[in-house]
Amino acid sequence: VPWSTRQLAELAGTTVKTVRHYHSLGLLEVPARTSNGYKQYDAGHLVRLLQIRRLSDLGVSLAQIASMGAEDAEPGEALRAIDEEIAANIERLRAVRAEIASIVLHDSPTDLPAGFSEGVAELSDADRSILLIYSRLFSSTAMEDLREMVMDRHRTPVDAEFDALPADADDETKQALAERYAPHLLGVIERHPWLKDPLAHASTSAALTGSVIGEAVDALYNAAQIDVLARSHRIIADQG
Amino acid sequence: VPWSTRQLAELAGTTVKTVRHYHSLGLLEVPARTSNGYKQYDAGHLVRLLQIRRLSDLGVSLAQIASMGAEDAEPGEALRAIDEEIAANIERLRAVRAEIASIVLHDSPTDLPAGFSEGVAELSDADRSILLIYSRLFSSTAMEDLREMVMDRHRTPVDAEFDALPADADDETKQALAERYAPHLLGVIERHPWLKDPLAHASTSAALTGSVIGEAVDALYNAAQIDVLARSHRIIADQG
DNA sequence: TTGCTCCTCACGTCACGTGAGGTGGC
DNA sequence: TTGCTCCTCACGTCACGTGAGGTGGC
């Protein structure tokens, strides 16, 4: 009793389309046909199909299966290489799961760098954006430092005031804020000295790094905020 | 200082082609251009690109990222679903790794069902083929029993003789072999009673199951071997 | 005639990658 | 002129899946 394509597929636990796909790749021999063109499979086809499925399930590509042919049933070297790939893959997926777990646990936004989902619920949009950019510019150890800094920081009234500063704030408001902001900023810089000389990310050129920080500040803070930052730096410089 | 496509890609740790791909999907806004048609990116584009990469790295599809839009940064439900998928994936990959490890350790062929790589080095091509087919017909508990049976069996001279029997063996040879094979076969059947009534695999119809076993025997054993099997069964029946 | 199975052929999926062919500034 | 970067557009990858359109036996 020969089998139809559907029956063969069912016996092998796969689909009709898969069987036809293997035909088109020359992996599985096309069987004889009845007068009306229906294909007729026998046990030989089933065995071959099961061999292909087995190798495919083990992660061997169809191209590799084709190049091995039906006889070579001991692809030791190929399997070793595949195993390494799978191991790396599992590691990556595990890391992703840990990230997701942390995000879900802390109900944290996803527009933050990896590892920043714990204890940083209070960040503004601009802060999250700049952290994302920093994660591409600074080394991972610097980012670790930065993360602790963000976690430590008590969202002071000065911070909130800075975030809320309108672009058209008048000179007096800006100067007053800068005078309160300067000591705050100084404290931050003193506790985290690497902020002064941004260590460029390995893959990015030094020229780009500077331009990125400039652009980021321009894009993420309004004119008044930038002015307050400049004034604060001047105050710090004058004191030093 | 605006950035070129290549610079933007480099800053985000990705490729030029990826950036263009996101443009084509409408995920990333196409920036203004210089007079010669070169694209000019700013920090806003970099932030958006990094957000997309972050979500993509977490396993969110580009279609989902597109449907979320730039504002919704808390895709809790989506992440939970993705996490389940990843967990299942890791489990599958772990099982595959265990299979590969066993195959490599025992230097076993791959044209055997899953779980059969230990201690079955002596099997003939036909045996391996029929085991593959059985793995689709019998329940996993029956296969477990079968595996132990295969592991236990000492490759007796009778087995070797049966495997080597030429298709055109004469009557005398076949009868002599059958008389030695029958007690061997009886012992196997008595130790493994489920062999008598093949429990059909859940997904395959009963009609198919019978046809498969018939076809498999036809295809995998030669005429003389089938004759010897029939004679052996007759001997057993006569004795019972 | 209706419903079911089988067939082939073309195109779609997913997230990009690979050229091909052309332009612009040094 | 050479070499480098940028651009667009078409097609390729991987392992199939999804129809479209047609045939054959009950």
Side-chain angles (χ1 to χ4, degrees), chain A:
Chain A
V1 203
W3 307 306
S4 72
T5 307
R6 179 160 309 279
Q7 287 177 317
L8 180 75
E10 216 168 284
L11 285 169
T14 182
T15 74
V16 176
K17 294 293 180 176
T18 299
V19 172
R20 291 185 184 139
H21 186 54
Y22 294 168
H23 284 324
S24 79
L25 295 183
L27 269 181
L28 181 66
E29 204 188 340
V30 180
R33 300 180 185 243
T34 62
S35 56
N36 61 15
Y38 286 21
K39 301 196 187 79
Q40 298 191 102
Y41 297 91
D42 63 27
H45 297 99
L46 177 55
V47 167
R48 176 63 178 150
L49 178 54
L50 289 172
Q51 290 172 356
I52 297 169
R53 289 304 315 167
R54 170 77 163 133
L55 286 168
S56 180
D57 286 346
L58 288 174
V60 184
S61 75
L62 298 186
Q64 277 186 74
I65 296 175
S67 74
M68 289 174 16
E71 67 287 354
D72 178 17
E74 289 176 21
E77 201 40 57
L79 285 186
R80 256 176 263 267
I82 289 169
D83 188 57
E84 273 189 41
E85 276 179 44
I86 297 179
N89 231 312
I90 290 179
E91 253 331 288
R92 204 178 44 78
L93 293 179
R94 257 217 271 267
V96 170
R97 282 203 78 193
E99 276 290 323
I100 291 179
S102 181
I103 290 170
V104 169
L105 177 66
H106 301 101
D107 199 28
S108 152
T110 54
D111 57 347
L112 272 171
F116 272 73
S117 50
E118 196 182 336
V120 288
E122 308 286 323
L123 295 174
S124 69
D125 283 7
D127 284 339
R128 294 201 303 278
S129 293
I130 217 160
L131 278 177
L132 266 179
I133 292 179
Y134 278 4
S135 74
R136 296 291 316 161
L137 296 179
F138 294 105
S139 70
S140 56
T141 53
M143 287 309 287
E144 188 45 37
D145 192 16
L146 189 55
R147 196 180 72 82
E148 283 170 22
M149 168 180 153
V150 170
M151 283 181 58
D152 278 357
R153 102 165 157 181
H154 303 284
R155 204 88 181 114
T156 63
V158 186
D159 280 316
E161 209 176 333
F162 181 84
D163 286 347
L165 189 71
D168 59 353
D170 61 25
D171 216 61
E172 208 170 339
T173 308
K174 292 190 284 191
Q175 184 60 27
L177 177 55
E179 275 162 22
R180 271 168 294 136
Y181 200 72
H184 177 66
L185 187 60
L186 182 60
V188 169
I189 291 176
E190 273 175 355
R191 283 194 299 278
H192 309 282
W194 57 265
L195 272 174
K196 277 185 180 164
D197 60 329
L199 186 70
H201 195 273
S203 64
T204 8
S205 73
L208 264 185
T209 306
S211 122
V212 171
I213 296 189
E215 284 287 313
V217 169
D218 271 7
L220 301 173
Y221 296 112
N222 66 38
Q225 289 170 324
I226 293 172
D227 190 29
V228 168
L229 281 175
R231 285 174 198 249
S232 301
H233 276 290
R234 218 171 305 134
I235 291 171
I236 293 171
D238 287 352
Q239 287 176 346

